[in-house]
Amino acid sequence: MHTLRAVVVGAGTIAGLHLRTLAASERTELVGVADIAGERARLAAEAYAIRPYTDYKAMVRAEKPDIVVITLPHVLHKEAAIWCAEQGCHVLLEKPMAMNARECADINAAAARCGIVLAVGHMQHYFAENVKAKQLIQSGKLGRLVTIIDRRYGYYYDEKRPAWFLDKETSGGGIVINIGSHSIDKIQWLTDCQITSVKAELTHYGERGNVEGSASLLMRTSHGATASVSLFGYRGVPPANETELLFTDGALKIAARKGLWISGANGYELVDTGAMGEPFAPQWDDLLNAIGHGSELSITGTYAQTVSAVVDAAYRSHETGRAEEVAVI
Ligand SMILES: NC(=O)c1ccc[n+]([C@@H]2O[C@H](COP(=O)([O-])OP(=O)(O)OC[C@H]3O[C@@H](n4cnc5c(N)ncnc54)[C@H](O)[C@@H]3O)[C@@H](O)[C@H]2O)c1
């Protein structure tokens, strides 16, 4: 079987899941990992019997990979993705695609110019509960979509969170760009829409860093439905990751990694979604199929740029105090 050579750039939290996925893939030869923190690269490399590097450019030059997985702080996504594209490597870039939609557009232009396949890690597309929900929405049996309510709660200032996430210069922002990009992606992808305007109110009460720790987003979509997203990152509130979609003839409720429910005669009834497996292997297969067979990617750079544009509009809205249109670049 023809295998593709792959390397991982960044050996932090999420890299572990990518490394495990690539090492387990029969269609992949995992050959290297790079991190400026040399000990992290060394430990990750040791675990998979691959070569460690502290300079990702040196790794790409030496290993000549077909694919580079980029799991770096947000501020480095653009530079690394464009450089790897220019070396002729296909790229799986972690979410959020970049610091803002302008940077995403530059990455997309480089990917097109260099003729590489670019995928972005909005891995909720591979959650069984979301896939089933999307099918039910597309079936039309619930009628017309009226509104979406999405809630993501979780302590954002945890000591374990790397400091760069809490510095706007390296992260691009806080809970909106990092967690809210998942909510925005979920709303757009599940319901096949583009969010067209956002009114956002943020708070900055975190005990470290300078990024926002909560957000209330009220959004309009291209199919006429509204969506509200509550992101909450302060201490002491039980975690939540839930989405309700209310239609003219019923409702769906998704609790991430727990299940999917549909409205019935006696309230919400559990839907059989099949096994709720981990999303990284199907995400990787999607990219391999796009490279090898030209199949359609679920999460292209062009799509991920639209998510970033909504994030930009949310930050603008907080500044202006008005609802902001989502700009198309
Ligand atoms: N898909 C998801 O649900 C999910 C979950 C967590 C993180 N992420 C995303 O993954 C990315 C990484 O997040 P993380 O939590 O793994 O962060 P992390 O801080 O744990 O890992 C980033 C790594 O990059 C390394 N690094 C920094 N500069 C470098 C450079 N110039 N060259 C090589 N290595 C360098 C750091 O030393 C660190 O080990 C972010 O985009 C984040 O938003 C996605």
Side-chain angles (χ1 to χ4, degrees), residues 4-322:
L4 294 174
R5 287 168 70 78
V7 295
V8 175
V9 178
T13 312
I14 203 71
L17 295 169
H18 289 288
L19 286 161
R20 192 175 68 190
T21 302
L22 273 52
S25 163
E26 289 181 356
R27 299 155 73 192
T28 308
E29 187 189 356
L30 174 62
V31 289
V33 58
D35 200 300
I36 41 162
E39 183 62 4
R40 281 195 201 164
R42 191 187 67 74
L43 287 172
E46 204 172 86
Y48 293 101
I50 56 177
R51 283 170 289 280
Y53 294 83
T54 49
D55 176 350
Y56 75 84
K57 294 184 179 176
M59 171 172 72
V60 168
R61 286 193 188 103
E63 301 292 352
K64 301 189 175 21
D66 300 292
I67 315 175
V68 181
V69 180
I70 298 174
T71 69
L72 291 172
H74 305 158
V75 69
L76 298 172
H77 284 200
K78 175 184 160 181
E79 175 192 325
I82 291 178
W83 188 84
C84 292
E86 286 171 348
Q87 310 314 301
C89 301
H90 304 293
V91 172
L92 171 56
L93 179 57
E94 257 303 341
K95 56 56 59 182
M97 183 173 171
M99 299 281 274
N100 52 53
R102 179 69 259 161
E103 288 196 357
C104 296
D106 291 345
I107 298 171
N108 282 323
R113 188 171 70 242
C114 300
I116 59 111
V117 178
L118 168 69
V120 181
H122 284 294
M123 63 6 169
Q124 293 182 116
H125 293 215
Y126 307 98
F127 285 4
E129 63 273 29
N130 291 345
V131 172
K132 185 70 189 177
K134 190 170 167 74
Q135 285 166 5
L136 287 167
I137 294 165
Q138 285 178 335
S139 76
K141 65 191 270 188
L142 292 165
R144 183 179 179 146
L145 180 61
V146 179
T147 194
I148 306 161
I149 302 136
D150 184 83
R151 299 188 301 133
R152 291 285 305 245
Y153 305 163
Y155 183 44
Y156 199 71
Y157 300 90
D158 193 287
E159 276 175 14
K160 290 197 214 93
R161 182 179 292 287
W164 68 262
F165 273 108
L166 302 178
D167 180 351
K168 202 165 188 292
E169 296 292 309
T170 43
S171 60
I175 202 163
V176 173
I177 190 168
N178 191 27
I179 309 296
S181 59
H182 283 305
S183 300
I184 292 162
D185 164 46
K186 196 191 261 188
I187 289 163
Q188 292 201 143
W189 171 71
L190 276 181
T191 70
D192 290 307
C193 77
Q194 167 70 58
I195 292 167
T196 52
S197 78
V198 188
K199 173 78 177 76
E201 303 268 349
L202 316 182
T203 68
H204 295 78
Y205 304 147
E207 58 257 35
R208 325 195 259 143
N210 60 5
V211 298
E212 77 283 358
S214 84
S216 303
L217 312 178
L218 182 60
M219 312 195 277
R220 288 203 168 278
T221 68
S222 52
H223 47 43
T226 55
S228 63
V229 174
S230 294
L231 306 168
F232 193 86
Y234 301 118
R235 199 189 285 285
V237 173
N241 183 350
E242 289 188 356
T243 311
E244 264 187 310
L245 300 109
L246 309 181
F247 299 78
T248 48
D249 297 315
L252 291 174
K253 182 165 79 172
I254 307 165
R257 309 289 59 196
K258 292 187 180 146
L260 168 68
W261 290 262
I262 190 166
S263 53
N266 302 309
Y268 274 123
E269 296 165 1
L270 189 63
V271 175
D272 181 5
T273 60
M276 283 193 271
E278 61 81 28
F280 287 86
Q283 174 175 264
W284 186 244
D285 285 341
D286 209 10
L287 176 58
L288 294 181
N289 291 337
I291 294 168
H293 312 304
S295 60
E296 199 179 326
L297 266 182
S298 180
I299 312 147
T300 62
T302 310
Y303 168 74
Q305 182 180 322
T306 70
V307 175
S308 192
V310 179
V311 170
D312 291 352
Y315 286 130
R316 272 204 317 278
S317 169
H318 179 69
E319 290 300 318
T320 62
R322 294 190 303 267

